[in-house]
């Protein structure tokens, strides 16, 4: 087995741990701080597996998390314009990056190759839900959009055979549990 593959899978295992812990944090700033490590581990996993655009999206998420934490600590809402800028940059990277990588192919073939054969639509769904999670203020809504994000990554990871799959499954289940637990607590209060 190639050392790069083994290192990639070690980062995938680290992502499993962070995917389990992050949704269980109570405050938004804690969730976003954990998401920094999660994005780092998964981004490195994807990059080492040759999934350049998915890796860059995850690493780009670190910057977004840092800005969200900055706003949360100052007790200010995340500006909608900032969220849209991040979403636009991530979407452009995801949508147009493959056109550069696959240049020389006919347009339709690029669309089929990337969005169907390379499952490029799933990271886009993940990006959109992640950006919405940064925009909302209530922790339960953050968790709901992180659940959608984890679901898209679970499918993507299964299709590219990444150990990050297990982390995202754990994150999906953990987020679903946190949604239920905190729902019950908010009703009791």
């Amino acid at each position: 087995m190639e050392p790069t593959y083994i290192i990639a899978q070690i980062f995938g295992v680290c992502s499993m741990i962070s995917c389990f812990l992050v949704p269980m944090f109570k405050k938004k700033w804690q969730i976003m701080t954990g998401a920094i490590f999660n994005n780092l581990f998964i981004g490195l996993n994807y990059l080492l597996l040759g999934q350049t655009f998915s890796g860059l999206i995850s690493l780009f998420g670190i910057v977004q998390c840092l800005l969200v934490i900055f706003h949360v600590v100052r007790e200010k809402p995340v500006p909608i314009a900032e969220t849209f800028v991040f979403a636009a940059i991530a979407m452009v990277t995801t949508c147009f990056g493959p056109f550069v990588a696959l240049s020389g192919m006919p347009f339709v073939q690029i669309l089929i190759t990337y969005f169907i054969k390379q499952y490029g639509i799933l990271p886009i769904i993940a990006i959109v839900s992640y950006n919405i999670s940064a925009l909302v203020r209530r922790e339960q809504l953050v968790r709901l959009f992180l659940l959608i994000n984890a679901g898209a990554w679970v499918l993507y990871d299964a299709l590219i055979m990444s150990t990050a799959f297990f982390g995202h499954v754990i994150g999906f289940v953990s987020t679903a549990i946190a949604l239920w637990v905190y729902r019950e607590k908010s009703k009791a209060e």
Side-chain angles (χ1 to χ4, degrees):
M1 225 180 276
E2 199 172 312
T4 305
Y5 179 80
I6 294 168
I7 294 168
Q9 301 309 351
I10 290 170
F11 282 119
V13 170
C14 291
S15 77
M16 280 189 263
I17 296 166
S18 67
C19 282
F20 173 74
L21 295 175
V22 169
M24 295 298 175
F25 295 140
K26 188 169 184 163
K27 302 288 184 189
K28 184 174 180 177
W29 73 267
Q30 294 169 327
I31 295 169
M32 289 296 148
T33 302
I36 290 171
F37 291 100
N38 194 27
N39 279 316
L40 177 65
F41 297 141
I42 291 173
L44 293 172
N45 173 267
Y46 288 148
L47 288 172
L48 291 170
L49 290 175
Q51 301 297 318
T52 307
F53 298 107
S54 300
L56 292 176
I57 289 166
S58 294
L59 295 177
F60 184 70
I62 293 171
V63 176
Q64 185 177 16
C65 289
L66 288 170
L67 284 172
V68 169
I69 292 168
F70 173 75
H71 293 299
V72 169
V73 168
R74 291 180 42 224
E75 296 182 359
K76 304 270 185 188
V78 177
I80 294 173
E82 184 179 295
T83 301
F84 283 123
V85 167
F86 272 95
I89 292 170
M91 295 289 281
V92 166
T93 304
T94 306
C95 293
F96 296 109
F99 291 100
V100 174
L102 302 171
S103 61
M105 294 176 132
F107 179 74
V108 173
Q109 188 176 358
I110 290 172
L111 289 177
I112 291 170
T113 300
Y114 183 66
F115 289 106
I116 296 173
K117 291 184 181 175
Q118 292 185 5
Y119 322 110
I121 194 71
L122 294 170
I124 292 171
I125 293 168
I127 288 167
V128 170
S129 63
Y130 191 77
N131 278 287
I132 294 170
S133 77
L135 182 62
V136 298
R137 294 187 79 167
R138 290 185 42 228
E139 287 82 2
Q140 281 296 78
L141 287 175
V142 171
R143 289 183 189 93
L144 178 64
F145 286 105
L146 289 178
L147 186 71
I148 295 167
N149 174 278
W153 286 122
V154 164
L155 292 172
Y156 182 77
D157 293 336
L159 293 167
I160 68 163
M161 293 186 255
S162 167
T163 54
F165 166 81
F166 300 107
H168 281 127
V169 167
I170 290 168
F172 185 88
V173 171
S174 180
T175 304
I177 291 168
L179 274 166
W180 184 78
V181 166
Y182 288 115
R183 177 186 60 83
E184 292 298 315
K185 284 185 180 179
S186 65
K187 278 186 177 179
E189 293 172 356

